[in-house]
Amino acid sequence: MTKENPQGFQAELSTFQSDNGLAGLGATIWKNGKLSDHGVAGERERSTGSLIESDDKWHIGSITKSITATMIGRLIEKGLLNWDTNLGTIFQRHEELHDDWKKTTILDLLTHTSGAKANFPLSVLLKRPTQEKEILSTRQNAVYKQLQKPPLSSSMTRFLYSNVGYTIAGLAAETVAGKSWESLVQEEVFDPLNLHSAGFGAPNEPNQPHGHKYRFLRRGKTSVPADTDNTAIMAPAGCVHMNLHDLAQFGHEHLSGQHGNGRLLKKGTYKILHQASLESYACGWVLNDNGILWHNGSNTMWYAFLGIIPRSNTVIAVTANDPDIKISESFAISLLEKASSMT
């Protein structure tokens, strides 16, 4: 046990993981930019005896959306986009773009108010491109097919949580910058913040946690192959991994950005990213009435939660390599409530 892993917090986390049968669980709390509590418990793969370590990597699911929005904020500050840049301008060479999409803006996509459907059809979700050129072309084709059809609603009239919308936003960034979403995220977010553990897809490396799924009829849980994840086509919506330290570091950047001390973006840009639209959703963040920003994520085999509490200058991150999302989230919400009461 290290000084950074106090017995009380570690014991609480270990007990919760064991009592609830989670494959593995991790959590960290940062206060005033410094580590306050940290702990991990459980196994990288059930029944293997390979224990999770403090710097292991976790799939963060839809927390990726806040990373995509942050990257786009960087492109906006560089003058490649504006919040109100519309798809008719970005995809003007796409002759089959439906007229109803042409006025949809970048901000509409990032706040889930564009009218984009929730997910791609199964024919897209089953595709598994692995090489950059193949990912780029299949992502473009999948998005263009969506843009040939009208959106489900007009912009800013209805909140529809959409992985498709964030994938469209990712392709928009690729189109104006001439680089893949993966390259842009690496260059504009991961590298400047020194998020050395961050990567794409599940943490497909030796000695790292695996995701887990339920067996038939939910009779127990079993690990999945290390590379099991959603298709890379929809990576801008939810295909990133990193360790707990880097996840908290990313959250701390957004917390600092509110005070004008961010390393990536100006205070005004962070204000827009954190400003709630319909259903209290901002750009990759949910804004609570008490000013807390948070987002969670899961590809059904992992769970992650990131919360920012400005009034106590606190960031919390919770991760699990387990399909029991409700149980994992209950731990995250409990930790958030405790951290929000800290002074």
Side-chain angles (χ1 to χ4, degrees):
M1 196 68 60
T2 68
K3 292 181 180 180
E4 296 173 346
N5 223 349
Q7 180 65 36
F9 186 77
Q10 176 66 53
E12 177 185 359
L13 184 144
S14 296
T15 298
F16 187 92
Q17 176 268 326
S18 178
D19 287 352
N20 289 282
L22 296 176
L25 179 67
T28 193
I29 301 176
W30 283 26
K31 186 172 175 60
N32 298 322
K34 297 181 180 180
L35 182 65
S36 174
D37 289 301
H38 182 86
V40 295
E43 295 177 287
R44 292 166 172 164
E45 294 185 74
R46 288 179 68 91
S47 304
T48 65
S50 177
L51 300 180
I52 290 172
E53 298 185 3
S54 62
D55 61 350
D56 279 357
K57 303 172 184 179
W58 308 81
H59 192 284
I60 65 170
S62 285
I63 297 174
T64 301
K65 291 179 172 66
S66 60
I67 294 173
T68 295
T70 302
M71 177 271 288
I72 287 176
R74 295 267 289 184
L75 298 188
I76 287 172
E77 289 195 354
K78 291 183 176 183
L80 295 178
L81 285 169
N82 289 307
W83 298 110
D84 60 356
T85 303
N86 61 55
L87 297 187
T89 299
I90 297 170
F91 300 125
Q92 55 185 303
R93 295 184 180 180
H94 179 47
E95 297 178 356
E96 298 182 14
L97 180 68
H98 194 282
D99 285 345
D100 290 356
W101 280 111
K102 291 182 178 179
K103 293 184 179 180
T104 301
T105 69
I106 291 295
L107 193 60
D108 294 333
L109 294 167
L110 298 182
T111 56
H112 296 301
T113 58
S114 69
K117 63 188 297 185
N119 287 299
F120 289 100
L122 187 61
S123 59
V124 171
L125 298 179
L126 291 176
K127 293 180 179 179
R128 290 294 183 269
T130 57
Q131 302 302 313
E132 183 177 71
K133 288 185 178 180
E134 183 186 12
I135 293 172
L136 282 169
S137 63
T138 52
R139 183 179 294 151
Q140 184 182 74
N141 290 338
V143 167
Y144 279 179
K145 285 184 180 180
Q146 294 299 309
L147 295 179
Q148 291 172 12
K149 309 168 188 176
L152 299 179
S153 59
S154 301
S155 296
M156 286 301 298
T157 61
R158 183 182 174 191
F159 175 84
L160 292 170
Y161 189 88
S162 175
N163 290 321
V164 172
Y166 262 78
T167 307
I168 296 171
L171 180 63
E174 292 177 339
T175 301
V176 301
K179 298 179 180 180
S180 69
W181 170 85
E182 288 83 356
S183 295
L184 289 169
V185 166
Q186 188 71 51
E187 294 172 7
E188 302 295 345
V189 182
F190 294 168
D191 288 346
L193 291 180
N194 298 317
L195 306 182
H196 299 304
S197 72
F200 304 103
N204 184 19
E205 304 169 32
N207 301 317
Q208 290 295 327
H210 288 222
H212 289 75
K213 65 180 181 180
Y214 286 109
R215 292 193 176 99
F216 182 63
L217 297 178
R218 298 173 74 94
R219 293 174 179 171
K221 303 169 186 176
T222 185
S223 65
V224 298
D227 61 350
T228 306
D229 193 16
N230 293 320
T231 175
I233 293 170
M234 57 172 285
C239 295
V240 163
H241 68 257
M242 64 181 68
N243 64 26
L244 275 165
H245 174 278
D246 285 351
L247 184 54
Q249 174 78 354
F250 175 71
H252 179 68
E253 167 64 17
H254 275 260
L255 177 61
S256 299
Q258 288 197 351
H259 304 295
N261 300 319
R263 296 160 60 185
L264 294 182
L265 299 166
K266 298 174 182 177
K267 183 177 181 179
T269 304
Y270 277 114
K271 183 177 180 180
I272 293 173
L273 288 175
H274 299 163
Q275 184 173 335
S277 183
L278 301 182
E279 301 292 332
S280 300
Y281 198 92
C283 296
W285 299 96
V286 179
L287 179 64
N288 284 1
D289 291 339
N290 52 9
I292 293 174
L293 289 164
W294 65 274
H295 210 287
N296 58 8
S298 175
N299 66 353
T300 73
M301 295 162 284
W302 301 75
Y303 176 80
F305 181 97
L306 182 61
I308 298 172
I309 310 166
R311 68 183 182 189
S312 61
N313 209 31
T314 303
V315 174
I316 74 161
V318 176
T319 51
N321 60 333
D322 193 278
D324 197 332
I325 297 170
K326 290 184 178 180
I327 290 296
S328 301
E329 184 158 76
S330 70
F331 183 84
I333 295 301
S334 175
L335 191 60
L336 182 72
E337 290 174 349
K338 292 177 182 178
S340 64
S341 65
M342 296 166 59
T343 58

